[in-house]
Amino acid sequence: MSSDSDFGQTLAGCPLSPVTASYRRSELEDTVRVAPKTNWVTQPELCHCSPTYPRRAESRSGGVTDCAALRTMNRGSRTSLGTTRTHSLHREPELQLLQNETGVITCQLSFSMAERAELEQAAALQGEKVRKLKQEKASAEEIAEEVAKLLELKAKLGPDDGKHKFVLKTPKGTRDYNPKQMAIREKVFNTIINCFKRHGAETIDTPVFELKETLTGKYGEDSKLIYDLKDQGGELLSLRYDLTVPFARYLAMNKITNIKRYHIAKVYRRDNPAMTRGRYREFYQCDFDIAGQYDAMIPDAECLKIVHEILSELELGEFLIKVNDRRILDGMFAVCGVPDIQFRTICSSVDKLDKTPWDEVKNEMVGEKGLASEAADLIGEYVQNNGGLDLIEKLLKDAKLSKNKLALEGLNDMKTLFQYLELFGVTDKISFDLSLARGLDYYTGVIYEAILLQNQGEQEQRQNDHTEESVNVGSVAGGGRYDGLVGMFDPKGRKVPCVGVSIGIERIFSIMEQKAEASEEKIRTTDTQVLVAAAQKKLLEERMKLISELWNAGVKAELLYKKNPKLLNQLQYCEESGIPLVAIIGEQELKDGVVKLRDVSTREEVDVSRQNLVEEIQRRTRRF
């Protein structure tokens, strides 16, 4: 190799993308001259693209790319000094030679930070474009074309080797909740829990993951949405999909035959998330279930009453609770000519009628699932009916349905259910709807689902509101009877009849969050009743004594973490945080044995003795 002091040799033809390739010093003797004072970076292992392997160049982030200059190196030819695009090995910082302990030299060219950021932004925008096209169900050719562009951009960036900028984000289908959002959430939870407790329910908890076999075969076509976990030592596990199947497993395992329980916990679904509609991959469910052998329809009616109470108390707007029965559906399928083996798959198609027009559902039944067109037409005549007791009476007289044993049982129980609902005073919000199917396999009897209704004025307002995407949440509660699920886990197949309801807490929260933003209502994020403040300096010890007395008496109190805070700053903190009262102490108050109690909203101040302070604070904050 030429002397180390001989500089100026350049490497021609380098690509604009970042590349790294490794070569032994002997292979570069006729190609480049290496600066003598280079601080070589020690690399313990040979690069996999060294000349002992197929000739190729590796990007800094691990991707493989061709490099004309490096191909030139491999051929052993000398580079030209007169080329248009050259990079000086000595003077240009973006091209470096690195030598490891075994004599391997690495040539690498880096993106500038600005260039990489520009590429990352372009890839992100292209990714959004691809997702939008898929949501809009664009043609396969158009999607493929845009995907190719996205892959091209990703190829330029190269795979992730952990060296590029780390992007802080939550996983897809999940979210964080700030204090204001959590305050709204807590209010919703409290409303729901209070209702459950009012009806005499006790609570349980189960593991967040279950044995995979526990969950397999319980959810029909939705089973593909279950999150499977990596084998961690002999047990195949999955994250729970809902709270109902773990509850049934709990009953069977503990040989429990009677319980009224509620359970509020997170569940996981590998679904396509729609954040604005309250659909996530990680979300809470609020379940209420009654297990045990009881007279027909009494527990079922109470579950529907609970849904009515919760939705009314949350003041979400007009709502409707749709009711049907799996036995009526199965009887209907039988009289329409659906083969027994297709009941569940046709049921999952009918379940889409709340979002999909009948023509599309029929095409799915006939074209994809092989149902006879005549059978689909007969189903269509039934599933487009809804009403109340009058519809039940009409179907009881139906020449076909009335002769089917399953359908007749379901219709008679439905009639009893409506009679009980009339006694509960909730039939104005209940509709017997033959299109309601609920796709889960474990339902055996009554099924129900609550949806929110939009009046014409609300629809027009949403259409005219272009400032943000409005919430369209679909159903906000659902449930039904599942008499056979516990028996699937019991070694002797003993059945425990169950009926329950699940409240769609995430969807309800999406609505309440948007309503709070629209009303610009100030939301308190703490329950603090009083701030202990000082009017003069050097009163930290007195403030700490007073706040300790309040805490010991059960008063929710705060103080600012400064030795000598200004009184104005303390009052401003109360206004910003929504704290209703300020307990002010000064030298005069200490002498007189009183505390000046200030109402933040009215700015009224009164002197209260230390002995009566707790009672006065509790009296004034009862309304908060």
Side-chain angles (χ1 to χ4, degrees), residues 167-180:
V167 180
L168 282 174
K169 62 184 287 292
T170 60
K172 185 178 180 182
T174 65
R175 63 175 292 187
D176 293 321
Y177 295 91
N178 63 40
K180 288 185 178 180

Side-chain angles (χ1 to χ4, degrees), residues 509-541:
F509 173 67
S510 295
I511 299 166
M512 296 196 70
E513 182 183 6
Q514 191 181 67
K515 282 190 172 184
E517 290 175 0
S519 66
E520 298 181 357
E521 176 188 355
K522 192 169 184 178
I523 299 169
R524 287 196 65 190
T525 57
T526 70
D527 293 332
T528 306
Q529 297 168 279
V530 62
L531 178 80
V532 175
Q536 287 101 25
K537 294 182 178 180
K538 299 182 180 179
L539 292 176
L540 175 61
E541 291 181 3

Side-chain angles (χ1 to χ4, degrees), residues 33 42 76 120 124 140 151 153 192 221 229 239 320 324 333 344 359 403 408 456 513 527 563 623:
R33 303 191 184 280
T42 301
E120 287 175 345
L151 293 175
L153 287 169
I192 293 171
E221 294 183 1
L229 300 180
L239 293 178
L320 181 69
N324 200 0
F333 293 151
R344 292 286 75 86
D359 289 342
K403 293 178 182 177
L408 193 59
Q456 189 62 33
E513 182 183 6
D527 293 332
K563 289 184 177 179
R623 67 182 188 274

Side-chain angles (χ1 to χ4, degrees), residues 183-194:
I184 298 172
R185 198 176 186 83
E186 189 175 357
K187 178 184 175 182
V188 176
F189 277 135
N190 288 339
T191 300
I192 293 171
I193 291 172
N194 288 338

Side-chain angles (χ1 to χ4, degrees), residues 41-71:
V41 176
T42 301
Q43 296 176 334
E45 298 178 357
L46 280 171
C47 174
H48 74 265
C49 58
S50 71
T52 57
Y53 290 84
R55 299 291 189 260
R56 57 183 181 179
E58 183 191 16
S59 72
R60 294 186 75 180
S61 53
V64 175
T65 181
D66 272 329
C67 173
L70 297 176
R71 287 200 304 272

